[in-house]
């Protein structure tokens, strides 16, 4: 029996966070979504009190990551997740306004699984997130390892 995937959403813009969650739900995804509005809180959750990430052993996590956070960069979070033995298999979807080719390349080199530039237009953004939700409904996510 597979473990339900827990979606970790790291997004500092509350309007974007609501739009993302609402449209993921509209696509039929009912998984738990844990929202974080800054990198520090997200890192504390992901890596736990001891900083190892072992708290998430046997959990399936999917991380939605904005690059532009108030206290640290999403690049730093991505690097730490992909270097961690317990979290490195968690899919990371970068969802950001940055469409710089250098940043996109850097994220893929660090191990992001999907890079999506947030459309500026509300309807386009909502549609992109619904499509992302459909994608979430069919992908397989591994459990964190011991």
């Amino acid at each position: 029996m597979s473990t339900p995937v827990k979606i970790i959403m790291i997004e500092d813009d509350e309007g974007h966070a609501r739009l993302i969650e609402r449209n993921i739900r509209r696509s039929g995804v009912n998984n738990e979504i844990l929202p974080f509005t800054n990198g520090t809180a997200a890192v504390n959750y992901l890596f736990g009190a001891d900083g190892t990430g072992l708290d998430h052993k046997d959990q399936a996590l999917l991380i939605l990551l904005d690059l532009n956070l108030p206290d640290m960069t999403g690049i730093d979070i991505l690097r730490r997740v992909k270097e961690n033995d317990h979290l490195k298999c968690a899919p990371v979807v970068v969802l950001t306004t940055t469409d710089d080719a250098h940043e996109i390349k850097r994220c893929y080199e660090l191990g992001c699984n999907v890079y999506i530039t947030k459309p500026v237009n509300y309807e386009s953004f909502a549609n992109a997130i619904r499509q992302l939700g459909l994608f979430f409904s069919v992908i397989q996510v591994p459990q964190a390892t011991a």
Side-chain angles (χ1 to χ4, degrees):
M1 187 166 129
S2 64
T3 305
V5 176
K6 187 180 296 185
I7 299 171
I8 310 300
M9 179 173 53
I10 309 168
E11 170 61 68
D12 65 315
D13 183 310
E14 289 183 34
H16 285 181
R18 282 192 305 274
L19 180 69
I20 291 166
E21 184 167 356
R22 181 172 45 248
N23 284 287
I24 286 174
R25 298 286 182 228
R26 283 183 181 161
S27 70
V29 173
N30 294 314
N31 299 57
E32 179 180 7
I33 298 176
L34 290 176
F36 294 92
T37 58
N38 64 68
T40 302
V43 164
N44 289 343
Y45 174 79
L46 288 167
F47 292 92
D50 65 0
T52 64
L54 191 57
D55 289 358
H56 300 291
K57 181 183 179 295
D58 299 328
Q59 291 183 6
L61 303 177
L62 185 147
I63 302 168
L64 283 177
L65 178 62
D66 186 10
L67 294 184
N68 306 308
L69 299 167
D71 56 344
M72 67 177 64
T73 69
I75 295 283
D76 292 334
I77 296 170
L78 174 62
R79 180 181 293 113
R80 287 187 63 186
V81 165
K82 293 302 180 178
E83 289 175 349
N84 181 277
D85 287 338
H86 307 295
L87 300 173
K88 66 184 174 188
C89 289
V92 177
V93 176
V94 172
L95 187 59
T96 188
T97 55
T98 307
D99 65 354
D100 177 68
H102 175 72
E103 284 294 296
I104 294 167
K105 183 175 187 265
R106 191 161 137 200
C107 286
Y108 278 112
E109 287 173 347
L110 289 170
C112 94
N113 300 87
V114 178
Y115 189 106
I116 299 171
T117 302
K118 295 176 187 172
V120 177
N121 172 281
Y122 174 87
E123 280 304 316
S124 297
F125 188 15
N127 186 47
I129 299 303
R130 279 193 296 275
Q131 290 178 33
L132 183 62
L134 293 172
F135 175 67
F136 289 167
S137 70
V138 297
I139 64 170
Q140 296 293 315
V141 176
Q143 293 179 347
T145 57

